[in-house]
Amino acid sequence: MRKGVLKIVVPCYNEEEVLHETNKRLLEVITNMEQSGKIVSGGVVYVDDGSRDKTWQIIDELSKEDSHVSGIKLAHNAGHQNALFAGLTLASECCDMAVSIDADLQDDTNAIFEMVDKYNEGAEVVYGVRRERTTDTWFKRNTALGFYKLMSVMGTDVKYNHADFRLMGSAALKALVSMPERNLFLRGMVRTLGFKDADVYYDRSERFAGESKYPLSKMMNFAVDGITSFSVKPLRLIFSFGIFFIFIAIVAIGYGLYSHYIGHTIPGWTSLLVSLWLIGGAVLLAIGVVGEYVGKIYKEVKRRPLYVIERTENLK
């Protein structure tokens, strides 16, 4: 048994409707684990990602009411992944394990008990995995399935039916926050760490209150970020298409020259056909070659701050 200090990191964006209930359930989990001896102590770290409602005001009040509650306020909306990374970074300095969970209460808070058990048994990363998607609409269920299949085809390693509900031990946390990447895709980054992992299966509930912060447009952008952060396969596909069209150009050139030779063409048709296919293939091939280098440079050169912290409350 390797019991320790647990921090539950909760990124928040306009969550005033659900925050009190979220805090109540998470504190119940921490209290029960402290009393049962599963952990030495615990706390909840809320990260306000530039909310426009009373989210920070509520976090501030909760942190003053209970020493188990801490708050981090970002100066602007940095995005879910950056806000979560900010919380994990600061939590890594004062805990032995951290659980990340969204504020909407769709993830089962009771699964945290089993996650901690897996950690105490030796797992360094514990993934919360959905058993099924019966609560999703047909559209959301099938777009999610398409998302995971697309990630797999594009060479990105992600855990199927796992979002950002997971437990990470201190070793995994320190390895994660040491990564210098600026285009974050935490689901993929955690998978690259290589530590001993385990899965905890749970049933996902309907959102307790408020509206989803991930409409279709954000889901599409998230998928693009995941692919471009972890794979240069799209660039290689462009390169492959370039080779393919060069081959088509050679066939078209042969056909054009043959048609011109037997007199089945009009003036200018052959030269236009040959130029169009040859130039198109050559351009795609060149883009593919240059893209291989641009893709690698792209991953390394951006060093803008991921987030800016405006203030913290009760963080220890």
Side-chain angles (χ1 to χ4, degrees):
M1 296 287 287
R2 48 172 190 159
K3 297 182 292 184
V5 177
L6 168 69
K7 293 293 184 181
I8 302 177
V9 179
V10 188
C12 305
Y13 179 67
N14 295 342
E15 299 289 1
E16 63 177 2
E17 297 178 54
V18 72
L19 210 48
H20 282 101
E21 181 65 23
T22 300
N23 191 65
K24 174 186 173 183
R25 295 191 193 182
L26 292 178
L27 288 182
E28 286 176 355
V29 169
I30 288 172
T31 300
N32 288 338
M33 284 195 289
E34 286 179 341
Q35 293 175 349
S36 64
K38 287 181 180 290
I39 60 175
V40 174
S41 63
V44 185
V45 181
Y46 295 104
V47 184
D48 178 21
D49 186 22
S51 298
R52 300 176 181 176
D53 60 4
K54 296 180 180 179
T55 294
W56 177 251
Q57 180 180 331
I58 295 172
I59 293 172
D60 189 32
E61 293 170 356
L62 293 174
S63 67
K64 288 179 170 60
E65 293 172 1
D66 195 315
S67 60
H68 288 92
V69 179
S70 306
I72 302 170
K73 180 175 174 56
L74 302 187
H76 66 285
N77 178 237
H80 177 273
Q81 296 289 281
N82 290 343
L84 179 53
F85 194 77
L88 292 174
T89 299
L90 272 68
S92 67
E93 300 172 359
C94 55
C95 73
D96 300 295
M97 52 185 146
V99 170
S100 55
I101 187 173
D102 289 338
D104 56 18
L105 293 177
Q106 288 188 279
D107 296 323
D108 185 6
T109 56
N110 290 318
I112 298 175
F113 291 101
E114 191 175 349
M115 287 182 172
V116 172
D117 287 338
K118 296 286 187 183
Y119 168 81
N120 288 335
E121 292 168 5
E124 190 65 22
V125 179
V126 184
Y127 299 101
V129 182
R130 294 180 63 173
R131 285 195 180 92
E132 53 189 2
R133 289 184 169 270
T134 54
T135 58
D136 289 347
T137 63
W138 178 91
F139 178 77
K140 187 171 183 179
R141 184 164 55 251
N142 284 275
T143 52
L145 179 62
F147 168 80
Y148 288 108
K149 286 185 175 180
L150 179 62
M151 288 292 172
S152 178
V153 169
M154 290 299 172
T156 303
D157 182 19
V158 291
K159 173 73 73 172
Y160 182 69
N161 270 348
H162 163 72
D164 285 302
F165 183 30
R166 71 180 74 87
L167 178 147
M168 300 181 68
S170 58
L173 274 174
K174 290 174 182 176
L176 178 67
V177 301
S178 70
M179 290 185 174
E181 299 176 38
R182 291 298 179 266
N183 189 24
L184 296 182
F185 183 66
L186 296 179
R187 301 181 198 184
M189 293 168 67
V190 173
R191 293 287 287 169
T192 67
L193 296 177
F195 291 98
K196 181 180 179 181
D197 61 38
D199 296 336
V200 168
Y201 293 90
Y202 70 98
D203 294 316
R204 191 170 169 88
S205 307
E206 297 286 349
R207 185 180 175 86
F208 182 81
E211 298 178 351
S212 172
K213 305 305 184 297
Y214 262 92
L216 180 60
S217 59
K218 283 193 174 182
M219 289 176 63
M220 294 291 290
N221 290 334
F222 188 61
V224 171
D225 285 341
I227 293 169
T228 55
S229 294
F230 278 85
S231 175
V232 293
K233 196 166 185 178
L235 299 172
R236 288 178 179 156
L237 286 175
I238 294 174
F239 181 85
S240 299
F241 277 124
I243 296 293
F244 174 73
F245 281 114
I246 286 289
F247 174 76
I248 294 296
I250 293 172
V251 175
I253 289 170
Y255 172 72
L257 292 176
Y258 173 74
S259 298
H260 178 73
Y261 177 75
I262 63 176
H264 286 179
T265 62
I266 60 176
W269 179 83
T270 303
S271 59
L272 179 61
L273 177 70
V274 170
S275 299
L276 180 64
W277 282 98
L278 185 60
I279 293 173
V283 168
L284 282 173
L285 180 61
I287 291 174
V289 173
V290 174
E292 285 285 346
Y293 294 94
V294 173
K296 291 176 173 61
I297 295 170
Y298 171 76
K299 296 177 182 178
E300 302 296 333
V301 298
K302 294 200 300 181
R303 288 294 182 270
R304 288 174 294 179
L306 294 172
Y307 52 84
V308 177
I309 296 176
E310 182 176 325
R311 57 184 292 193
T312 62
E313 290 292 342
N314 204 27
L315 194 63
K316 56 185 179 180

